[in-house]
Amino acid sequence: MKFARLPQFGVGLRAESEARASFPAADLIVGLGTLGLLYVVARVGAESLVKFSPPDVIPTINLDPRNLPNYAARSTLRMFIGLGLSTVFTFVYGYAAARSRRAEKVLVPLLDILQSVPVLGFLSVTVTAFIALFRGSLLGLEAAAIFAIFTGQAWNMTFSFYQSLRTVPTELEEMTTLYGLSRWERFTRLELPSSVIGLVWNGMMSFGGGWFFLAASESISVLNRQYTLPGLGSYVASAIAARDLRAVGWAIVTMVIVVLLIDQFFWKPLVTLADRYKLELSAGEERRFWVVDLWRAASIPALFERVVRPFAFAADRLLSRLTKVAPSREHKAASKTADTIFNIVVSILAIGLLIAAIRFVLSSVGLKEVGHAALLGLATAARVMALLVFSTIVWTPIGVAIGFNPKLARLSQPLVQIFASFPANFLFPFATLGFIRFGIHLNWGSMLLMALGAQWYLLFNVIGGAQAVPNDLREMASSIGLRGFRKWRFLIGPGIFGSWVTGAITASGGAWNASIVAEIVSWGHTTLKAAGLGAYIADATASGDWPRIVLGVGVMSIFVVALNRLLWKPLYRLAQTRFQLS
């Protein structure tokens, strides 16, 4: 693999060797599309600056379907802002965890805990704080909703990026040292390109996860107060409260249209570009997509690149100089004394926080309540594990088939994207009616509802892992006659194992989070409740019972961290040491 000492700037959609002759229609379409997008963003963003003074001045939701385009635009803008924040967080947090041995000891367990904290747990703390920060403006509630969306997106992307950095082929790492690349050059020339396929597919899945918690972030019932933010999620929540199936149907139609538009104009172009960064020795079939071709045919993007290129080049050189690695420090042994001091300090802080949390909980609830929450955690854990087994058996072969076949990927991606991005809780009213009619207890029905929101994490990771398997290895497997079980044992299994582990971890975290809205569902004044930790936390959050909120979130965190330490961490180590494509 050849490392470029000079960065190849641009948006990746137009290379010199690939550029086609521009034509006026392409420039007109690209220009008008860009201006239209900027206008919509400015118009919708201005609606976030209106007055907000609860309980006197608060937003209301009108179930007239003519309001849905505006609600959809506002929700979509929040989703993309959350995605942008999640991407920045992913690069900073994932890189620090993967490249610093000391930071990894703190950041990875902390990521386990953050992933296990339900969205309602974050909302309980942040809503009041953001409203106080932006007093008198709706921007505070907007910030709280975006932060909730961020917490539904960031952890999955961070785990994917961390796993990709830890499984970069060893010979390529050694080559960056041989060439004397700085940390910035190593990141932009090797680490980011090698992780981009998994990052795009996990970003797509995280975006879908954000839709799942949209209703919870826009129609907030927390600490005995109700806050409503205009958007698709709050529209559905209001329609459910009013038992208006017609409004729910219009919201579902709007959601499908929004998902299709985002898939066509955002995710499919990104997937097309990500395929160019596959680490392989032989060229596979080149992905093509009409939006990418249209962009390449226009001259406006090339003009923008020529304007930006000098500034980007100067920034790249500056960052390269600032992050230059001294040869003597590259192999410097870590200080055992410093490691010991670091471990002691971290342990003292962790024990101190744990003791403070235990004292806070036990001062209001007894040990009997703690045991009750632990039993509820076991019930939810059983549902999560059943979901993981089901998802692995069903979706792993489907994800490999999609990842290995570009034609099938082109046909199936819109369907997969719709299923994954469509908020499953939009369908909960129909599921609730079905459970009531057929007498299905939510202890069983909640497993289906959790699967609707969490199984896609595993599918998308498997697809990304299968697409990242180099074509030369696949061609070699075909040439030596690997078929059936032997092909899975020697090529497919090792090739996707790291991605499967990432998908299983994030699916597990997604399932725990989904339990908050899956173990207690409503239709009008009818409420169904399952015996589980998710319903426990939802009840405590709605009533503002802080000791039980902390207890429920703490028990859920213990379950998730224990599962990660005992099961997923050994599997991660196995992926890093035995199943690297080196």
Side-chain angles (χ1 to χ4, degrees):
M1 181 177 180
K2 183 179 180 181
F3 286 95
R5 292 296 302 184
L6 297 178
Q8 303 299 313
F9 292 112
V11 292
L13 293 172
R14 184 186 183 95
E16 293 297 328
S17 60
E18 300 171 336
R20 296 170 175 81
S22 63
F23 57 94
D27 285 322
L28 181 64
I29 295 172
V30 171
L32 291 178
T34 303
L35 291 176
L37 179 63
L38 293 175
Y39 170 77
V40 171
V41 170
R43 178 74 179 269
V44 173
E47 296 179 357
S48 303
L49 303 176
V50 298
K51 187 177 180 181
F52 174 66
S53 181
D56 302 319
V57 182
I58 58 174
T60 58
I61 301 298
N62 190 331
L63 294 182
D64 187 338
R66 288 176 292 184
N67 294 308
L68 279 172
N70 177 261
Y71 291 163
R74 296 184 70 167
S75 294
T76 303
L77 181 59
R78 295 179 194 118
M79 290 289 293
F80 274 103
I81 293 175
L83 182 66
L85 295 175
S86 299
T87 303
V88 174
F89 177 87
T90 293
F91 288 149
V92 175
Y93 197 104
Y95 186 87
R99 293 297 174 233
S100 172
R101 186 169 52 85
R102 291 175 185 167
E104 183 182 27
K105 294 179 181 179
V106 177
L107 296 182
V108 174
L110 182 60
L111 191 62
D112 293 340
I113 296 173
L114 291 173
Q115 179 191 222
S116 67
V117 175
V119 170
L120 290 181
F122 288 107
L123 283 174
S124 302
V125 179
T126 57
V127 169
T128 305
F130 278 118
I131 291 176
L133 183 62
F134 299 94
R135 188 175 300 276
S137 172
L138 191 62
L139 194 60
L141 199 57
E142 291 277 2
I146 291 171
F147 184 79
I149 293 169
F150 162 82
T151 61
Q153 295 178 344
W155 323 130
N156 176 50
M157 296 171 62
T158 304
F159 265 119
S160 170
F161 188 60
Y162 167 78
Q163 183 263 338
S164 296
L165 292 182
R166 292 302 301 266
T167 55
V168 171
T170 305
E171 63 269 22
L172 296 183
E173 292 272 16
E174 294 172 351
M175 193 179 297
T176 61
T177 303
L178 180 64
Y179 276 90
L181 299 187
S182 67
R183 288 189 176 91
W184 171 254
E185 289 173 325
R186 178 179 297 189
F187 176 75
T188 55
R189 275 66 163 183
L190 173 63
E191 293 167 339
L192 182 58
S194 65
S195 64
V196 72
I197 293 179
L199 194 59
V200 167
W201 281 95
N202 277 279
M204 198 185 307
M205 184 61 250
S206 297
F207 202 79
W211 285 121
F212 187 87
F213 293 104
L214 193 66
S217 62
E218 291 181 347
S219 183
I220 308 166
S221 178
V222 60
L223 306 184
N224 284 322
R225 290 193 178 185
Q226 182 72 34
Y227 300 104
T228 301
L229 197 60
L232 268 178
S234 56
Y235 182 92
V236 171
S238 299
I240 292 173
R243 305 181 68 174
D244 191 340
L245 279 177
R246 177 174 172 270
V248 174
W250 278 112
I252 290 175
V253 171
T254 304
M255 190 72 245
V256 171
I257 294 173
V258 169
V259 169
L260 285 174
L261 290 175
I262 293 174
D263 176 69
Q264 288 290 304
F265 290 98
F266 187 74
W267 291 118
K268 268 199 171 180
L270 282 184
V271 170
T272 302
L273 297 177
D275 194 62
R276 300 172 60 184
Y277 296 99
K278 184 183 295 185
L279 295 175
E280 58 187 8
L281 299 177
S282 62
E285 180 182 346
E286 181 186 5
R287 287 181 176 268
R288 295 282 301 277
F289 189 61
W290 68 272
V291 173
V292 178
D293 292 339
L294 178 67
W295 189 276
R296 287 173 177 169
S299 60
I300 294 177
L303 177 62
F304 178 77
E305 286 186 23
R306 285 196 295 270
V307 173
V308 172
R309 184 185 295 270
F311 301 99
F313 181 84
D316 179 82
R317 292 296 88 200
L318 176 62
L319 290 171
S320 297
R321 287 194 296 269
L322 292 176
T323 58
K324 191 173 182 61
V325 179
S328 59
R329 295 184 60 188
E330 188 71 22
H331 303 288
K332 185 177 180 179
S335 169
K336 292 184 178 181
T337 304
D339 282 347
T340 302
I341 294 174
F342 177 82
N343 293 335
I344 292 174
V345 171
V346 170
S347 299
I348 291 174
L349 290 175
I351 293 172
L353 291 173
L354 182 62
I355 292 175
I358 292 174
R359 292 186 61 183
F360 176 74
V361 171
L362 293 181
S363 64
S364 301
V365 300
L367 288 175
K368 184 178 180 180
E369 185 71 15
V370 175
H372 175 63
L375 289 176
L376 294 177
L378 287 174
T380 302
R383 297 186 183 104
V384 171
M385 296 307 298
L387 183 152
L388 289 177
V389 173
F390 169 82
S391 300
T392 298
I393 294 173
V394 173
W395 294 114
T396 299
I398 294 176
V400 170
I402 294 173
F404 274 18
N405 191 328
K407 292 182 180 179
L408 180 60
R410 284 195 295 269
L411 294 174
S412 62
Q413 184 184 329
L415 296 177
V416 173
Q417 176 66 9
I418 290 174
F419 291 143
S421 295
F422 188 85
N425 49 352
F426 278 32
L427 302 177
F428 282 11
F430 302 99
T432 304
L433 290 175
F435 296 157
I436 294 173
R437 180 173 181 179
F438 297 106
I440 300 175
H441 200 282
L442 197 61
N443 282 336
W444 300 101
S446 60
M447 296 175 65
L448 171 64
L449 302 182
M450 290 165 63
L452 290 175
Q455 62 187 350
W456 311 113
Y457 289 97
L458 195 141
L459 173 62
F460 272 56
N461 274 278
V462 171
I463 292 175
Q467 287 189 340
V469 175
N471 281 311
D472 45 284
L473 292 184
R474 292 163 58 183
E475 292 168 359
M476 183 182 66
S478 298
S479 66
I480 63 177
L482 281 183
R483 297 287 186 276
F485 175 76
R486 287 174 58 83
K487 186 174 182 180
W488 275 87
R489 179 183 177 185
F490 294 109
L491 175 66
I492 298 176
I496 69 169
F497 185 74
S499 298
W500 175 84
V501 174
T502 301
I505 291 175
T506 51
S508 173
W512 281 102
N513 240 318
S515 69
I516 304 297
V517 292
E519 291 182 346
I520 179 168
V521 294
S522 300
W523 175 248
H525 298 293
T526 303
T527 300
L528 302 180
K529 187 182 298 184
L533 197 56
Y536 182 89
I537 295 173
D539 282 341
T541 303
S543 62
D545 191 340
W546 273 107
R548 285 177 172 80
I549 292 175
V550 175
L551 174 61
V553 171
V555 170
M556 185 174 285
S557 300
I558 290 171
F559 271 98
V560 174
V561 172
L563 187 63
N564 286 352
R565 297 295 98 183
L566 298 176
L567 178 62
W568 303 126
K569 187 174 182 179
L571 291 179
Y572 246 138
R573 189 180 301 114
L574 188 64
Q576 295 165 8
T577 58
R578 185 173 177 182
F579 295 122
Q580 282 190 351
L581 293 176
S582 301

